[in-house]
Each structure stands twice: as structure tokens, then as C-alpha cells.
Amino acid sequence: MSSSSTPTHESPARAGRLQAAVELLASMRFAIALLTIICIASVIGTVVKQHEPYPNYVNQFGPFWAQVFDSLKLYSVYSAWWFLLILAFLVISTSLCIARNTPKILSDLKQYKENIREQSLQAFHHKAQGQWAEAPAQAAQRLGQLLATGGWKVRLQSRQTSQGEGWMIAAKAGAANKLGYIAAHAAIVLICIGGLLDGDLFVRAQTWMGGKSVYSGGGLISQVPEQHRLSERNPAFRGNLMVAEGTASSTAILSQSDGVLLQELPFAVELKKFIVEYYSTGMPKLFASDIVIYDKATGEKKEARVEVNHPASFKGIEIYQSSFDDGGSEVTLGAVPMAQASRPFEVKGTIGSSTELTNGKDKLTLEFTGLRVINVENMAADKSATDVRAVDLRSSIEARLGSGDKTVTQKHLRNVGPSVSYKLRDAAGQAREYNNYMLPVDTGDGVRVFLLGMRETPSQPFRYLRLPVDENDSMEGFLRLRDALGNPAIRSLAIERYAAKAVDPKRPELRGQLAQSAQRALGLYVGQEEVAGQKVWGLQALADFLDTNVPEAERGRAGEMFVRILNGVLYELDAVARERAGVKPLPESVVQSFMTQSVMSLSDAPLYPAPMALMLKDFKQVQASVFQVARAPGKLVVYLGCALLILGVFAMLYVRERRLWIWLTPDGQGLQARMALSVNRRTLDVDKEFEQLQSRLLKQEEPSA
């Protein structure tokens, strides 16, 4: 008995829970909550760069938060399982809302509500009365025609009253307002469905159920195993295809949060020529690609040009011009020794490749990472202005290894020539990135220098060491001076010459004192003496020595004396080095700028973290285009949804649903009219419209015969 009664009691409870769940899914508050979460997720997806390598996020957020954000899939928000689930629930919620309300709306659109009672008309805000000598039936026909010519849909109904036959005129207009409700909600469903179709849903389905997996290794594309490749029949995808000039490719790369997937295309794209034009500011004005598309199945050949906002299409796949990159340019680098034990040499390679270097017992891996032929930089130190590409070279120079910040307020854009970037990786796998300019750069203060950039991690800006150029626009003068500074014999000879020239011949007893002061200054500068128990060198050593050994009141004068002695000794040092090398003395036109910058550069050079700086000697540029290839079956669905959304919102905001009733009853030899207007939104325009209807329909004059 009890067992048979259990289903009877459980069935209503289960039905009640199901109905409550349906009511929740179809409720407006549930849909608004979902839309709020989607908006927050979209903001996160905009602020946080998507599909970046995981180490970049570690550098940006730190190990703990990087792992937390990764577990929440914030690095691939739009393809995260929870984001797709929210979209699916939004589709279900909106669909249920449409299914529940559409029959009521359609039924209401068919009704004129002509059976409304006379007493009910008195409760409306917009109401009026009128009388005139005319038969009710004739007046009903006349008023109905007037309303019909004004765009109203009209229905007449005859009623028997105690005074005789009365007529109810029921009219309606603005039915598109409720149709706009259906259109707007249907648009949300279509847009979400299109988003699901064009997103990573099909790709993820293949990784979940199709035996495909994300590839996180390296190597050539041709060597990637089959389980990491998606079929040409993949119904929806969006990936990048990089093609160098003179080559062809048929495999796109789909970036995932933990690696990549390879998408095979039913055609191959060959890049015949890449075209790029620049504005004077350095911003690309035009970049386009002349390509040839080869159909794998039929061998069909199609030539096309792909520009920004002008894609090519083939077999339902759109090919967009996304960006451009280096396609494997050949570069020749010359090693400039930054340490006494290093020797100059040349090394050749292609961008994207690597080679091994030997530095004594240490082995380094040289990775050729980039070549930029055009570098239009802001050479004015206006810290409130930046280059159009957000690369302000002068600000970077001010944070270089060297010192001296001279601020200029104007903005000056100039092409400073080619630059090369590379990484030096040690045996432990640690790498530093370097960026060196091929040609000397005038930094705006009249000093021409070579810029040697370095940074520890990709998240940091480059810091630049400035090396002065000599009269021949080369580094030879500086390198010669640096080597001479490391030679004790040449230093002693330079000190003697300086003391002999600086002291009045009539006071030879001062020569020894000046020589001792010069010996002390130069010894501190080259790091031969410890200051406060620490090994320091350069201008910092002089400053520390003054702080430790000279009273504060006398430091300014003592500092000026040390700098003057140092400049004089270095000038003589350069002269001795040139004599021994058989080079002419430094021309007077460049003496001041060269020696001033040399003092700072010699002070900063020991901080350079590599035994050599690799300067760009020659290059052969090879361009490459980066295309975005996309098969988007939901595109038309999204377009239809957008059109419906525009129409629906316009209808709901700008179309007012109005209903009008006029009740005509006999009154002696004439009739009495009672009119009422109902609107879904009360505005000032409604008041004006009612006044016009009252003036037009309830005129007191009798109609003409």
C-alpha cells in the first residue's frame, strides 16, 4: 500500500520542482544575471591579453595569481568551458522566455478588445466626450474611416442599449512594439548561437571526444603528430597562417591556453609579394599581400590581393590580413668586445634560428629573434608624449645603463635606421634579450651614439648603453680608449703628460701633487681602490669617495676638481692610444662631445652583462604575412541576429502601442461620444496626439451632407 502510494506523492513534487526550474530559467532576473557575468567576462577578456605564453602571465601577475587565473581559464575567456556554459544557459533562458510570451503576444495582437465596458473608459487618463446631431451608425462608419486613413486598424461593434442601438469603435496602432520584443529576444538567441558556432565549441568537442590533444612542444610543423592536427572538414575554426615571401603554407595555427592545435586547410596559400607603406610617423599606412591560392582537391589556382578589411574568400574560408612579420631574414652580426678577454668576430644566421657561441669555457646559445629595417622613434624627451607605436626611444634611453637626463619638451620623430634583436642563453637556460641599432643615433643633444639595449625579461623595457662615435662614425675610437684605460703603462704615461701640461712650468713642485691626485682619480674610476669596503668603479666610485672622505661643505669644489682632472687625463689617454695606433688626433669639432660621452660610457660599460655586443653589419630582408583564416558558419546567423536586434530595439523604443475606443450612444436627436486612449508609455507626445485625435474625431460641427 505504501509502496504503491510513493510514486503518487513523488510525481507532483517532481513536477513542481521542474516547473520551478523552468520558471527560474525563463525569468528576467536570471537572464540579467547571465548577461552581467558575460559582461564581466568580456571586460576580463579585453584587459587580460588572451592566449599569451604562460611565462608572460607569470611575469605579469606572479606565480601564485598566474596559477589561480589559469585555473579559472582567464587567459582564454571566450573559449572557457564556463563561458560557453553561460552562453548555452542564456540561449535556453531567452528561448523559454520567447516560448512563454510569444503566444500571449500574438493572441493580443489579434484582439481589438471591443468588448470593453462603457464604465471602464472613465478610468483611463486620456479621455474625452462629445455630442453632435448624427445617427450613431453613420457616425461610427465616418469615424472608422477617419481612423483607418490615419494608420489605425479599426473594428466596429453594434450594441443594444436602453437608449437604442449603440456603437463601439475599437482601434489599435503600433503593434510593432510587441513584435520588437520578440525580435530583440530572438536576436539574443541567434547571436549567442552564432557565437557558439564560431567559437571554440567544435574545436573543444574534438579535443574532448575526437581524440585530439593540444601540442605544447616545439619543432617543425611537418613533424607535429597527427593527434594534434584538425581535419580539413572542421566546421568552425579561427587561426593564424604565417607565410614568407616565395613560400606556401596550408596549415594554420590555433592558439590554445596550454599550447597550439594545427588546422589543415583544403588549400595552400603562396605569398608572391608583401607590400608595406608607412606614414612619416612610422605608423603603417598600408600593408597588403599578393597571394596565390592552390586548391588541394582540384588543383585550381586563384590569384588574389589581401588587404586590411578586404579579405579573400575560398571554399567558405575567409583569409584576412592580420599583420606582418619577419620571414627568415639573413643577418650578419659583428661582435664588439665588451670585456678584455673577448675578441671580435662575425656570425651569420637567419631570424628565428640559433647557433652556439663559445666564450672561454662557457657556451652560449645565440638566438636571432628579430630584424626591424625601419625604426621611426620619438627623439624628443617629452615624457607626456609618446611615439605613435608606443615606442618612445628617448624615455628608454633615459632609463639606460648610463646617466644624464636632459629633458626636452618638443616631439621629434625620425627614422633611426635598422635594428637587430637577439637572445644570449647560457648553459642553465637563462636568457637575456638584446636590441642594438645598426647606425649611430643623434639623441637630440648633439651627441651621436650607438645604442645597445638589454632587458632581463620580455615584460621589462629595454635599457640602453650609449657608446660615443668617433670622427669616422664608428666605435673604434671608444674601444681604443677603453683598451688604453685598462693598460697601466698607458695610464701612467697619460697621467705624466696631463701633469706636465696642467702645471705652470715655474712651479714644478706642484707636478707631483697633481700627478698623485690624477692617479687617485683614475684609480677610483677604473675600480682599483675599494670605497667604504666595497668594490666600485666609474663615476659612482668618485661620488662614494667624496661622500666618505670629504666634508659636505667641500664636496662640491672637490667634485669639480676630480671631474676636471679625470677629463684631462682621459683626453691624454686617448691621445697616447691614437699615437700608438698611428691614428690622427681627435678633431677639435668632436672633442667635447666625444670625451663627455666617453666619461659616462666608460663608467657604465662594466655593467653590460655580456662579453660582447653583436652589431648588425649586413642583412637581407625577407618579409612574411600573417593571415587570419576563419571558417565561420555562424557569421550569417550573427548578422541576422544583429539586424533583428536593431529592429527590435528600435521598435520597442520608438514605436508606441496605442489602443483607442469610442463609444457612441443615442442622445435625443443626436448622439453622445465617449473616447479613451491607452498607451504602453506615457510621454508628452502622447498628450499631443490625444489632443489631435480629440480635435479631429470629436468635432462639434455636423458632418456635411
Side-chain angles (χ1 to χ4, degrees):
M1 192 73 179
S2 60
S3 61
S4 61
S5 64
T6 300
T8 305
H9 293 291
E10 288 182 352
S11 180
R14 188 182 301 112
R17 289 194 296 269
L18 179 61
Q19 182 178 0
V22 172
E23 289 293 329
L24 175 63
L25 288 174
S27 65
M28 179 177 294
R29 63 180 181 273
F30 184 74
I32 292 176
L34 294 177
L35 285 172
T36 302
I37 297 175
I38 290 176
C39 290
I40 295 174
S42 300
V43 171
I44 294 174
T46 303
V47 174
V48 179
K49 290 184 178 180
Q50 302 290 287
H51 300 294
E52 290 282 309
Y54 184 73
N56 290 5
Y57 298 117
V58 175
N59 292 332
Q60 184 175 1
F61 303 114
F64 174 77
W65 288 110
Q67 187 174 2
V68 172
F69 294 160
D70 183 50
S71 62
L72 296 175
K73 304 297 182 183
L74 298 186
Y75 308 141
S76 54
V77 169
Y78 304 113
S79 59
W81 63 268
W82 54 266
F83 187 82
L84 299 178
L85 185 63
I86 291 173
L87 284 181
F89 270 111
L90 185 60
V91 170
I92 295 173
S93 175
T94 312
S95 300
L96 288 174
C97 187
I98 294 174
R100 187 173 64 174
N101 293 309
T102 298
K104 299 178 183 178
I105 292 174
L106 295 179
S107 176
D108 188 66
L109 290 177
K110 296 177 182 179
Q111 296 179 5
Y112 286 81
K113 300 182 179 180
E114 66 273 17
N115 294 321
I116 189 172
R117 295 184 179 184
E118 175 185 354
Q119 294 81 358
S120 300
L121 299 181
Q122 301 300 321
F124 286 94
H125 176 76
H126 295 93
K127 58 187 177 182
Q129 294 184 2
Q131 290 182 335
W132 60 84
E134 188 177 3
Q138 183 180 0
Q141 295 294 329
R142 178 177 62 83
L143 294 175
Q145 291 178 0
L146 284 174
L147 288 171
T149 56
W152 294 76
K153 293 183 179 181
V154 183
R155 178 172 290 182
L156 305 179
Q157 184 187 60
S158 174
R159 298 182 188 176
Q160 291 297 326
T161 66
S162 59
Q163 293 87 4
E165 184 184 31
W167 286 82
M168 174 64 74
I169 304 173
K172 62 180 182 178
N177 176 270
K178 290 188 174 180
L179 294 178
Y181 173 88
I182 299 176
H185 284 69
I188 295 176
V189 174
L190 291 175
I191 292 173
C192 290
I193 292 176
L196 289 171
L197 292 176
D198 290 350
D200 283 355
L201 186 61
F202 289 103
V203 174
R204 286 191 169 274
Q206 295 180 65
T207 58
W208 292 337
M209 300 175 291
K212 302 298 182 181
S213 61
V214 175
Y215 181 71
S216 57
L220 300 175
I221 290 179
S222 59
Q223 298 175 350
V224 177
E226 185 64 27
Q227 66 265 26
H228 308 301
R229 298 175 180 269
L230 302 180
S231 168
E232 296 177 359
R233 298 185 297 274
N234 186 11
F237 61 85
R238 188 178 300 272
N240 291 325
L241 179 71
M242 181 173 171
V243 188
E245 286 181 330
T247 65
S249 179
S250 61
T251 304
I253 298 176
L254 279 59
S255 297
Q256 304 295 306
S257 59
D258 51 351
V260 298
L261 287 168
L262 301 185
Q263 174 63 57
E264 298 294 339
L265 303 176
F267 54 82
V269 176
E270 179 186 2
L271 178 61
K272 302 297 291 185
K273 185 179 181 181
F274 177 76
I275 303 165
V276 59
E277 299 176 2
Y278 295 90
Y279 291 105
S280 59
T281 59
M283 176 71 73
K285 178 171 61 176
L286 166 71
F287 50 94
S289 301
D290 292 332
I291 64 173
V292 180
I293 304 173
Y294 299 94
D295 190 341
K296 291 181 179 179
T298 63
E300 178 187 354
K301 176 181 176 182
K302 177 184 177 181
E303 296 186 356
R305 167 170 280 204
V306 182
E307 298 181 13
V308 178
N309 298 326
H310 294 85
S313 179
F314 192 78
K315 285 194 169 183
I317 298 176
E318 301 290 334
I319 306 173
Y320 300 90
Q321 181 72 62
S322 176
S323 62
F324 57 93
D325 207 337
D326 193 283
S329 298
E330 299 176 3
V331 294
T332 301
L333 305 183
V336 176
M338 300 300 291
Q340 295 292 333
S342 299
R343 295 291 180 267
F345 61 89
E346 284 192 357
V347 59
K348 296 183 179 181
T350 58
I351 301 300
S353 66
S354 62
T355 186
E356 297 293 330
L357 299 179
T358 301
N359 179 39
K361 296 181 179 180
D362 298 330
K363 290 187 178 296
L364 300 175
T365 300
L366 169 61
E367 301 175 4
F368 303 90
T369 57
L371 170 70
R372 291 183 62 177
V373 177
I374 295 179
N375 288 278
V376 178
E377 309 288 3
N378 180 16
M379 300 311 299
D382 184 358
K383 297 182 180 180
S384 65
T386 58
D387 179 65
V388 291
R389 295 174 302 160
V391 180
D392 192 340
L393 180 62
R394 185 57 180 267
S395 296
S396 299
I397 293 174
E398 291 165 5
R400 66 195 185 283
L401 301 179
S403 57
D405 180 6
K406 298 180 180 179
T407 302
V408 184
T409 57
Q410 73 270 18
K411 184 175 182 180
H412 181 54
L413 300 176
R414 187 172 76 249
N415 179 18
V416 296
S419 66
V420 65
S421 58
Y422 60 90
K423 290 182 180 180
L424 287 177
R425 192 177 301 275
D426 59 23
Q430 300 296 319
R432 290 187 177 94
E433 187 175 1
Y434 299 84
N435 184 65
N436 299 336
Y437 286 80
M438 182 180 187
L439 303 175
V441 176
D442 186 347
T443 58
D445 50 10
V447 179
R448 291 173 55 78
V449 296
F450 283 99
L451 297 174
L452 311 182
M454 184 278 297
R455 63 183 178 186
E456 299 285 347
T457 64
S459 61
Q460 295 178 344
F462 281 105
R463 295 179 297 156
Y464 286 89
L465 173 65
R466 306 196 303 182
L467 301 185
V469 300
D470 57 17
E471 68 275 16
N472 299 318
D473 266 0
S474 74
M475 290 186 191
E476 294 299 326
F478 173 77
L479 296 177
R480 187 186 304 113
L481 178 60
R482 186 202 61 186
D483 293 341
L485 185 62
N487 190 317
I490 299 180
R491 289 204 306 267
S492 298
L493 181 58
I495 291 173
E496 292 178 5
R497 287 192 178 187
Y498 169 73
K501 291 182 178 180
V503 174
D504 189 345
K506 297 180 180 179
R507 304 185 64 184
E509 69 278 2
L510 297 179
R511 183 181 301 179
Q513 298 178 9
L514 184 58
Q516 289 180 0
S517 298
Q519 184 71 35
R520 168 59 62 88
L522 204 58
L524 290 169
Y525 188 74
V526 299
Q528 286 185 332
E529 299 185 22
E530 290 187 355
V531 180
Q534 294 183 351
K535 183 72 172 180
V536 291
W537 63 87
L539 297 175
Q540 185 63 47
L542 294 176
D544 291 348
F545 176 81
L546 293 174
D547 292 342
T548 305
N549 299 280
V550 178
E552 184 176 357
E554 301 179 8
R555 287 175 191 169
R557 186 167 56 86
E560 292 178 1
M561 180 193 70
F562 265 131
V563 171
R564 185 167 59 251
I565 292 174
L566 182 62
N567 287 338
V569 173
L570 289 179
Y571 176 78
E572 295 298 333
L573 191 70
D574 179 72
V576 174
R578 286 174 174 269
E579 290 175 5
R580 295 196 173 191
V583 180
K584 294 181 180 180
L586 196 65
E588 292 295 331
S589 58
V590 297
V591 166
Q592 183 176 358
S593 60
F594 178 81
M595 296 307 302
T596 300
Q597 184 59 46
S598 293
V599 171
M600 293 187 292
S601 299
L602 289 171
S603 176
D604 297 334
L607 295 173
Y608 197 75
M612 80 290 290
L614 300 176
M615 304 300 296
L616 183 62
K617 296 297 184 182
D618 194 12
F619 63 89
K620 180 181 179 182
Q621 187 183 27
V622 178
Q623 295 275 30
S625 273
V626 179
F627 302 104
Q628 185 181 84
V629 290
R631 177 180 281 158
K635 180 175 64 175
L636 296 179
V637 178
V638 173
Y639 288 164
L640 177 60
C642 291
L644 284 177
L645 184 61
I646 293 172
L647 293 175
V649 171
F650 181 85
M652 289 191 295
L653 293 179
Y654 298 102
V655 178
R656 297 187 306 273
E657 183 186 16
R658 292 104 67 204
R659 289 184 180 270
L660 181 71
W661 295 273
I662 304 177
W663 173 237
L664 305 175
T665 56
D667 183 15
Q669 298 299 319
L671 60 85
Q672 184 179 24
R674 291 184 177 89
M675 184 175 70
L677 177 68
S678 172
V679 293
N680 62 333
R681 281 196 318 275
R682 286 179 55 184
T683 62
L684 295 177
D685 292 338
V686 175
D687 297 337
K688 183 177 180 181
E689 182 182 17
F690 183 73
E691 292 177 0
Q692 293 174 349
L693 287 171
Q694 182 179 359
S695 174
R696 183 184 181 192
L697 299 176
L698 302 184
K699 294 183 297 185
Q700 297 299 318
E701 67 268 14
E702 296 183 0
S704 58

